[in-house]
Amino acid sequence: MQKIDSIAAMRAAATELTKSGQRVALLPTLGALHAGHASLIRLARARGDAVVVSAFVNPLQFGASEDFARYPRHEAADVAWCEREGVAVLFTPTAEEMFPKHFSTSVAEERVSKPLCGVSRPALFRGVLTCWLKLLHIVQPTVLVMGEKDLQQIAVVQKALEDLSLPMAILTGPTVREADGMAVSARNSYLTPVQREEALVVYQALKRAKEMVAGGVRSPDRVMAEATHIIGEKRRVRAIYIGVVDRQTMEAVREVTPGQSWMAVAFWVDEVRLTDNIML
Ligand code: AMP
């Protein structure tokens, strides 16, 4: 496993991998690697791809009052995860090289990025796309790997790649959960045991929504009302949004289509902001 910090060395390594006949898959992450990231690495490796993982706490995607400074940084553990999972290159660029002082370009998708997280985190997707476009130009992968944990991110990136005629294929993997159903996330480390226990109510609400749809309910209002009610039972948990949306457009649906409509939730557990979703 190579660990590379500079853009020039990453470009050279990616060119070498491609020259040797390997298909390169890029998994962009914020680092603090966990079982969710590992499952995506395995998914790409199972197709025979050489996997490049970028671990970079991208300052552009955090709003001024968000957790950029506090976001967990575990470089030694990230190296160990990548070695264990057979990653070809762990790319850990510096903020100075990615976004030097007078960096003045940005990439924004203006439609799919607007609802859900686009409302409460207006800087998020512009920051993600600007960083990822730069990563794509550096690594030039054949495949871009993403997790369903960030469903809107998949939709936004897919739309931007289409709009800009970028040729990468997209490989997505399901959300990895703890034994009790809580979605694995680096931000779970912010939670106290009591907060962690209350946070689980969101997965219970999502599961209940899915059960209602399996039982024949097709009204988004009914499943959202039920989920809101379940989440409301926990004192520390407050929904930022609960949406029943189309996977591609992220627009609210009028009627639930099983397998195509998703329930997406963002919520506060006291001062910790988390997200989760489920296919209905
Ligand atoms: P992050 O480091 O949180 O930006 O995540 C990097 C990539 O890993 C994104 O494509 C996420 O959707 C994905 N990911 C994060 N958590 C999980 C999880 N629990 N299961 C599957 N994929 C995940």
Side-chain angles (χ1 to χ4, degrees), residues 60-231:
L60 301 188
Q61 72 185 69
F62 289 79
S65 61
E66 293 176 7
D67 58 340
F68 173 72
R70 187 188 175 201
Y71 197 86
R73 289 156 171 89
H74 301 147
E75 200 171 290
D78 289 351
V79 170
W81 270 104
C82 288
E83 278 174 346
R84 223 167 26 236
E85 296 297 336
V87 165
V89 181
L90 171 60
F91 180 41
T92 52
T94 62
E96 293 71 35
E97 203 183 7
M98 283 296 280
F99 303 118
K101 205 161 172 207
H102 299 297
F103 188 91
S104 56
T105 300
S106 72
V107 184
E109 189 286 330
E110 303 283 4
R111 193 166 181 157
V112 183
S113 65
K114 292 298 180 193
L116 306 180
C117 282
V119 175
S120 48
R121 297 188 67 194
L124 173 65
F125 292 115
R126 179 186 292 265
V128 169
L129 281 179
T130 303
C131 179
W132 286 29
L133 261 283
K134 183 152 180 163
L135 291 172
L136 290 172
H137 283 289
I138 296 165
V139 178
Q140 304 205 11
T142 307
V143 183
L144 179 62
V145 191
M146 291 181 272
E148 284 172 353
K149 169 72 170 55
D150 298 284
L151 196 71
Q152 189 173 14
Q153 183 163 276
I154 296 177
V156 170
V157 170
Q158 197 153 27
K159 185 66 166 57
L161 295 191
E162 257 169 53
D163 284 351
L164 299 174
S165 299
L166 289 170
M168 293 85 194
I170 287 178
L171 176 65
T172 63
T175 298
V176 173
R177 298 180 179 280
E178 308 278 3
D180 61 5
M182 179 84 179
V184 177
S185 162
R187 289 189 168 101
N188 292 353
S189 64
Y190 300 153
L191 301 173
T192 64
V194 173
Q195 289 172 332
R196 167 70 178 72
E197 204 207 308
E198 293 213 355
L200 188 59
V201 78
V202 172
Y203 178 63
Q204 287 157 354
L206 291 172
K207 256 196 342 198
R208 174 77 189 117
K210 192 177 173 80
E211 279 163 19
M212 288 172 75
V213 171
V217 176
R218 293 292 176 269
S219 155
D221 288 352
R222 277 194 58 201
V223 289
M224 285 191 288
E226 183 70 9
T228 307
H229 174 70
I230 293 171
I231 291 171

